[in-house]
Every structure is written in structure tokens, then in C-alpha cells.
Amino acid sequence: MKSLSTGTDKRLGLGAAITRRDFLNASLIGIGSGLLRAPAPAGQKVGASDWDGYGGVGDYARSQGNTEEVIRVAHELRDGRYDAVSIDVADTGETWDLVIVGGGLSGLGGAFYFNKARKSHQTCLILENHLVFGGESKRNEFIVEGHRLSGPQGANEFDVPARPGDPGYELYSELEVPREFEYSPWDRGFKQLEFDRTNYGFQLWVDESRSFGTFLDRQSHGVKPQWIRNFGGRGVEKAPLASSIRRDYRTWKTTRQRYHPENRFERWLDSMTYRDYLEKVMKLNPEVTRYADPILAAALGLGCDALSAYAAFQIAMPGFGGFSSSYSYPSNWSDLSPLTWHAFPGGNDGFARYFVKRLIPDAIAGTTEFADVLNGGIAFEKLDVPDRPIRMRLGATAVRVEHEGQPERAGHVRVTYVQGGKTFQTKARAVLMAAGGWISKHVVRDLPSSYQEAYATFLHSPMLVVNVALTNWRFLYRMGFTACRWFTGFGFCCNIRRPMWVGDFRPPLHPDRPVVLTFYVPFYYPGLPARDQGLRGRAELLSTPFVDYERQIRTQMTRLFGKTGFNARQDIAGIVLNRWGHAYVNPQPGFFFSAHETAVPRDIIRRRFGRIAFGHSELYGHQFWLGAIGEGRRAVEQLLEVLEKS
């Protein structure tokens, strides 16, 4: 272990064996400056695995977010390494009916619907560039003091489709996902606390709770450091803010005023940013925008100054009470607690595992019962077994996809991919591009200019999801908080969830027992052009070594919780960083509707191109599990028509 640089680092607990490892002294310069096209910090020499950091335990320990290896190959692709087919490419000799590029929920959903419709002889290969399937729907796992703990790497939260006709009802029923769940009980001997079951609701949508705290200080608001309880509800009236700001905040949360006729109001909303809607239409104080910025960025990638007001409406941000919305959530915690929002222990990895269990049954140990699907070990050797109709190759990055001849006349598509440092080529009668648009536009080599131009309008921003394993959370209990929000320093919020119990996975919910504290950290820079915000965020995310983020996390937690007994050296058992360089597409004004009644870019990309179709989640705009699966299904149905005719 490298020597610690300061006494402060020692007090913060940097160097604890569980959170960091000894690594070979490779250089981040090779994966940082050249790939980001920006200089690395002066004099910085950091081991490549020092960038990844600790990965937790279990099947997901080698695949936390975008790892150094995943980024290296992707950036080689972007920078032209695979522009020419090398003589070193090994032909697998295989021909598939369908190759799916991407093993996230879009790709797995596409494979599921292909498997339902395929003829007995038809085959499918899934190429996934990470070492575990699921895309951003994966988990981090820890073992602390004998307790197995789990947290989401990215996507989490779902609500159970209750009635036939509800979005996802048919799929949910077909997968046989339970409709009722068991959660860890809260001992009545403790003081009453409320726990979010997800990592999203407390941020805004169900934020009226005395168990949720908001931190204000001189740096953020020019006031002495203090916690405001239930800021989302009545607590805001006690906040040391100007009365006009408090009034505007409540207007934002509760208004039922309609600012436009109901007819075509969606198109009107998509003509402006959410900031313009708040400040120019609703006439609210910019402090309201400031409060909303990180919430919107955590949900859609950037803040109010960059994203469409219609995108904010889609995810039920406040201010639209006068318009009908298919997304409507109760603001009062007691209205939510009996039903609706849930989160599997590892986030939406539960859905990924359900798909894989259906596609390749023996790839996850056990039966098709809920506990086995979520808790069974992954049999990696079963994912790619010869003579199976559905197969999956992990750590396999597609670098070239192109028709053999003219797209509308070609009988096959050539697919070149890199796996284990070697390059392979296979053939398919159809290809579903379920990887993100930022990579698909480089991979599909004969992509028409109309698609390239459409993809050029897509902007992306990163996200960092941090799971901190704690030996105890007594410091939060003393405060009476289970979720917290602040305005300066690392991130903007964190919370502990009421853990879902699944079979033998039954983590405790006790102030003196281990728990996972989760941070969702967006990257947004109000005032910069949206494209520049995404570039700056990725540069920051990808050039920061693990130890620097670890230091920021420990420092921020000490700043927030040190006075109530938090000790970074003793209370932190492990930290896992999940870096997602292109976590979100950024739906700017005009993303959903054209001002001239013409096709918007996402509709162009949704069109089948010869034997290739695009089905990644960002085409929906609001990236969530059902939207991702729906895009994969649509694309597969386009390709099934081609397969039927050929």
C-alpha cells in the first residue's frame, strides 16, 4: 500500500484494506490523456487498477460501472484502431440468425422477445462488453461483519404494473416477478423513522418526511450550518430563506395552474428548457431552479438550463399540476408506503437476471423462484455453450458491424468483436444494436449519413454511483435521518434504503448493524453549452483516480455527520465507485417534437437499416427499465420481419 500523504488522510481512514488494494504501478496517463484528448494532471502517475478501485465481492466484483478495460477498448474504437479489418481477425465460422450488441435491459429484452417468436432452428448471440450482463442494471455486494449487503450500480426503482393495460403488465406477468415483497422490519423500540425503498423517491417525488434532512451552511446559503427536517414539506417554512423564495418553492411543488391550453401542450413544453419554464413562464425565483438542478441531473443527466421542459414533465418534476401526466406520484410519504415504488437489493439487476434465467436457464443457479433468480450464483461457463439457441459472450466489444454488400440486398451482416485481447469475426442474418448511440454510430460502418447526422444531435452526460458499506449508521439515527440532501461539496444526496428481503438474503435494519449508504452524483455545469457540460463531466469522471474520490467521500461525510459521531476511519467498511461515462442521453428542447412537423432525430434512428435495427434505451428519452425493454422489443420486431422474408 502506498504511504498516506497527510495526517488528515490517516484520520479519514484512507488505506483501509477492504476499500483499496495493492496494484502494479501502471500509468493512468495511457488511458487518460490520449483517450480523453486532454492532458492528465501534471506529474500524476496512477496505476490503471487504482482507477477502478475496490469492486466488492461476489459475481459482480470485476464489473463495477465502466471499468478501465471497457473504456480502453471503447476509446480505441472511437480513435480508429479498428477502422481497417486486420489480418489477425479470427473467423469463428458461425452464422447466427440474430446478433445482439449489448447485454443491458434493451438487449436482454430484445433477446427475450426474439426467443418467444423464433423458429426452433433459429439462434441468437448476445455480445456484452462488460464482464457481467445487465448494463447499468447491476449490483455491488459487500460482506461486513458476516452480513451480505447489496446496492445498485446504476438503474434502480420500479413500480408493479397493477392492472391489465398498465405499461409493462404483460411482461411483468410473463416473467413471473412477484407483486408483493418483504422488507426488513423496523424495531418499534427505536424512534419512528421513515425509509425510502429506492434511491430516488426521497430526492423529490416523496420528499415530505421528517426522516429526510437538508443541510444549509454559509457556503451554500450564507447561513450558519444547520439541518432542516422535512424541507420538501412543512420544514421549508422554517428554513432561513427569504419569504419570497419559500413561497415560490411551495408554488413549484403544489401549483395546479395551467399555463397553456391542454391541446398540444407537450409540443409547447418541448420548445423550451425547464429553467425557462420555471423562471419565465411560472416566474419563480432562480433559487427554485438551483434546488431542482441536481435532481433533474440525477434523473436525466443535466440541469434545468439544458433539458427540455417536456422531459421534466415526463418524469413528474413539479410545476405541471395543471396538465395531465401519465407519471404522477404522491408527494406525501404515507400515501406511497403501502405500494408502488420498489427496488431489488441490487437495483434493476433483478430484471436482468429474470431475462437471463429465461434465455439460458442454467446460467443462474437454482429454480425459477424469486429467491433463486436473485440470489443464485452466475454460472459464467453456461452462458456460451455450443448448440444452445441463445448464447452470450461477456467481455466482448463489437467494433465493426457492416452488411455484406448493399444493405437492402445483403443476405448477412459481418460482426467483428474484441474479446480477451483478440479480434474475432462472425456473421448474422440480422443485428440488433442495443448498445448506446455514442458507440453504435462508430460500430456500424456503413451507416447512412442521415443516421450519422441524427446521432450527432444526441448529447450524453456521465453519472457516478457510489455505494459505501458502513459498519453502523448510529450517526444518522442520532440525527433522525435516513436520507440527506446538501448543496456544496461531493455529490448532493445520499440515503440508506429499507432493504428488500429475498430468501436467505435478509440484511438487518438496525443503527448498530452494517448497511449500504448510496450516493448518486451527477455532473452538470449551468451556463455552459450542453455538449460542453457532458465533455467536462466525462473528463472529470475519467481522470480522477479512485483514491481522490475516496478522499472526497470521506471528507464530505465527516463534514456532514462528524458532529453526530461519524468516524470515517471506523465506520466505513468499503467503497465501490460505479463510473458511467455516457449514463444519460440529454433530451434538449426539440428532442421529442419537431417544430416543423418533420421527423426528429430519434425517429430516424428507430428506422430499420437493412438487416440492422437500433433499440437502445436513450431513444425513449426518459431512460428507465420499461422504456429500455420496449426499444429492444421494437427493434427485434423490425428484424423478425426481415428474417421472415429471407
Side-chain angles (χ1 to χ4, degrees):
M1 184 66 62
K2 298 174 183 177
S3 60
L4 301 177
S5 59
T6 66
T8 299
D9 282 355
K10 291 181 180 180
R11 288 192 295 274
L12 290 173
L14 267 77
I18 194 170
T19 59
R20 303 178 68 208
R21 301 171 176 172
D22 292 315
F23 299 111
L24 297 175
N25 188 23
S27 173
L28 183 66
I29 302 295
I31 66 164
S33 61
L35 300 177
L36 294 172
R37 296 188 177 131
Q44 186 180 72
K45 291 186 180 294
V46 183
S49 291
D50 281 345
W51 186 86
D52 283 334
Y54 176 64
V57 302
D59 290 336
Y60 295 81
R62 297 182 302 152
S63 185
Q64 70 274 32
N66 295 140
T67 61
E68 179 271 330
E69 177 64 13
V70 167
I71 291 173
R72 182 186 65 79
V73 176
H75 284 179
E76 286 178 348
L77 166 65
R78 182 202 64 189
D79 293 339
R81 176 169 179 176
Y82 304 100
D83 285 354
V85 179
S86 168
I87 59 173
D88 296 328
V89 173
D91 193 327
T92 67
E94 302 160 324
T95 299
W96 308 85
D97 291 285
L98 177 66
V99 167
I100 297 177
V101 177
L105 288 186
S106 296
L108 293 174
F112 175 78
Y113 285 105
F114 172 79
N115 194 44
K116 284 182 59 178
R118 72 180 180 85
K119 298 176 181 177
S120 60
H121 65 277
Q122 290 181 318
T123 58
C124 173
L125 173 66
I126 304 168
L127 298 175
E128 166 55 37
N129 63 333
H130 293 82
L131 294 178
V132 182
F133 52 79
E136 293 183 24
S137 296
K138 294 200 290 285
R139 68 178 67 165
N140 296 142
E141 293 182 295
F142 306 86
I143 295 179
V144 182
E145 298 179 355
H147 297 283
R148 181 173 288 272
L149 308 174
S150 190
Q153 287 198 24
N156 88 94
E157 186 275 317
F158 66 97
D159 45 342
V160 177
R163 296 171 298 277
D166 285 353
Y169 182 88
E170 177 186 347
L171 172 65
Y172 197 94
S173 300
E174 192 168 0
L175 289 175
E176 297 181 332
V177 183
R179 295 182 175 278
E180 296 181 357
F181 304 95
E182 183 180 10
Y183 287 86
S184 176
W186 179 238
D187 193 319
R188 293 183 179 180
F190 292 117
K191 59 187 174 185
Q192 183 179 352
L193 293 179
E194 294 173 323
F195 299 81
D196 196 342
R197 294 191 297 237
T198 76
N199 298 111
Y200 294 144
F202 77 92
Q203 295 178 21
L204 175 68
W205 296 273
V206 284
D207 60 352
E208 296 185 21
S209 170
R210 289 184 55 77
S211 299
F212 302 162
T214 300
F215 184 71
L216 309 179
D217 64 1
R218 290 186 177 85
Q219 187 177 355
S220 66
H221 289 84
V223 299
K224 66 178 182 180
Q226 57 191 284
W227 284 95
I228 306 298
R229 191 179 301 277
N230 190 21
F231 189 95
R234 295 181 179 179
V236 71
E237 300 302 333
K238 300 179 181 179
L241 303 173
S243 59
S244 60
I245 295 175
R246 297 198 304 269
R247 182 190 64 241
D248 281 3
Y249 178 84
R250 297 307 299 165
T251 298
W252 176 57
K253 291 291 295 290
T254 63
T255 185
R256 293 293 182 267
Q257 183 174 346
R258 182 179 298 173
Y259 297 90
H260 187 273
E262 184 77 13
N263 182 39
R264 296 167 67 87
F265 78 95
E266 296 100 333
R267 188 179 297 273
W268 172 70
L269 289 175
D270 195 38
S271 70
M272 70 187 82
T273 66
Y274 188 42
R275 181 180 68 181
D276 284 348
Y277 180 79
L278 296 178
E279 297 180 12
K280 296 181 180 179
V281 176
M282 294 186 67
K283 309 295 185 183
L284 300 180
N285 191 290
E287 277 296 309
V288 174
T289 305
R290 180 189 178 200
Y291 186 87
D293 272 336
I295 302 169
L296 188 64
L300 296 176
L302 291 179
C304 304
D305 68 313
L307 300 189
S308 166
Y310 180 74
F313 168 79
Q314 258 200 334
I315 63 168
M317 292 290 286
F320 306 109
F323 303 113
S324 60
S325 173
S326 58
Y327 299 94
S328 57
Y329 305 124
S331 61
N332 186 288
W333 185 257
S334 62
D335 292 339
L336 176 75
S337 54
L339 21 110
T340 59
W341 283 18
H342 297 281
F344 297 124
N348 286 349
D349 76 316
F351 291 114
R353 293 173 70 91
Y354 262 97
F355 279 128
V356 171
K357 188 66 175 176
R358 285 299 187 93
L359 295 167
I360 312 173
D362 52 358
I364 295 178
T367 70
T368 58
E369 295 297 316
F370 179 54
D372 285 349
V373 173
L374 262 67
N375 297 340
I378 300 174
F380 291 96
E381 73 280 4
K382 301 293 186 181
L383 289 170
D384 190 12
V385 176
D387 300 324
R388 296 288 182 88
I390 309 293
R391 293 162 66 178
M392 182 187 302
R393 289 178 187 157
L394 299 177
T397 302
V399 295
R400 293 184 67 91
V401 170
E402 53 201 329
H403 292 90
E404 291 187 334
Q406 293 298 317
E408 294 304 328
R409 297 180 181 179
H412 294 90
V413 179
R414 290 194 304 272
V415 179
T416 306
Y417 62 93
V418 176
Q419 184 184 43
K422 299 180 180 179
T423 307
F424 301 90
Q425 188 173 99
T426 191
K427 288 204 306 185
R429 295 173 62 210
V431 172
L432 163 57
M433 295 300 300
W438 67 90
I439 198 77
S440 293
K441 66 183 181 181
H442 294 292
V443 172
V444 181
R445 298 303 173 132
D446 50 356
L447 194 64
S449 59
S450 59
Y451 289 74
Q452 292 283 4
E453 291 166 3
Y455 267 133
T457 68
F458 277 49
L459 305 181
H460 299 86
S461 56
M463 173 66 78
L464 174 64
V465 180
V466 181
N467 285 311
V468 179
L470 299 171
T471 60
N472 73 92
W473 52 280
R474 175 64 65 171
F475 61 92
L476 283 174
Y477 179 76
R478 291 191 183 103
M479 301 168 71
F481 295 150
T482 61
C484 301
R485 156 78 193 253
W486 55 91
F487 293 86
T488 58
F490 178 82
F492 82 103
C493 70
C494 66
N495 77 308
I496 58 173
R497 293 183 296 167
R498 179 186 291 272
M500 180 185 287
W501 280 3
V502 182
D504 293 334
F505 179 83
R506 304 174 77 83
L509 188 62
H510 187 291
D512 298 320
R513 299 289 184 270
V515 76
V516 171
L517 182 74
T518 300
F519 295 73
Y520 275 74
V521 185
F523 296 79
Y524 63 101
Y525 311 90
L528 287 180
R531 186 180 300 276
D532 292 347
Q533 291 192 46
L535 290 172
R536 178 173 171 179
R538 272 189 297 282
E540 179 180 333
L541 180 75
L542 299 183
S543 66
T544 304
F546 178 87
V547 67
D548 285 1
Y549 273 133
E550 181 182 7
R551 183 179 292 108
Q552 291 179 46
I553 293 161
R554 290 174 179 270
T555 299
Q556 183 73 346
M557 291 182 65
T558 300
R559 171 178 171 246
L560 295 172
F561 311 128
K563 291 185 178 180
T564 55
F566 171 73
N567 184 311
R569 188 174 183 83
Q570 297 176 4
D571 297 342
I572 293 180
I575 298 173
V576 176
L577 305 180
N578 302 284
R579 311 180 198 229
W580 300 106
H582 295 79
Y584 292 109
V585 69
N586 307 136
Q588 301 178 83
F591 183 90
F592 301 96
F593 302 96
S594 168
H596 305 290
E597 308 289 345
T598 57
V600 292
R602 66 174 183 155
D603 292 333
I604 294 172
I605 296 167
R606 279 174 166 156
R607 299 168 183 165
R608 176 179 57 81
F609 165 51
R611 291 180 175 269
I612 302 171
F614 302 86
H616 42 77
S617 64
E618 65 208 77
L619 295 173
Y620 194 84
H622 167 206
Q623 292 166 269
F624 72 120
W625 71 282
L626 277 177
I629 295 165
E631 293 295 337
R633 178 179 185 174
R634 171 197 49 75
V636 156
E637 289 173 347
Q638 291 174 332
L639 295 171
L640 285 169
E641 294 178 2
V642 175
L643 294 175
E644 185 66 27
K645 294 176 182 178
S646 60

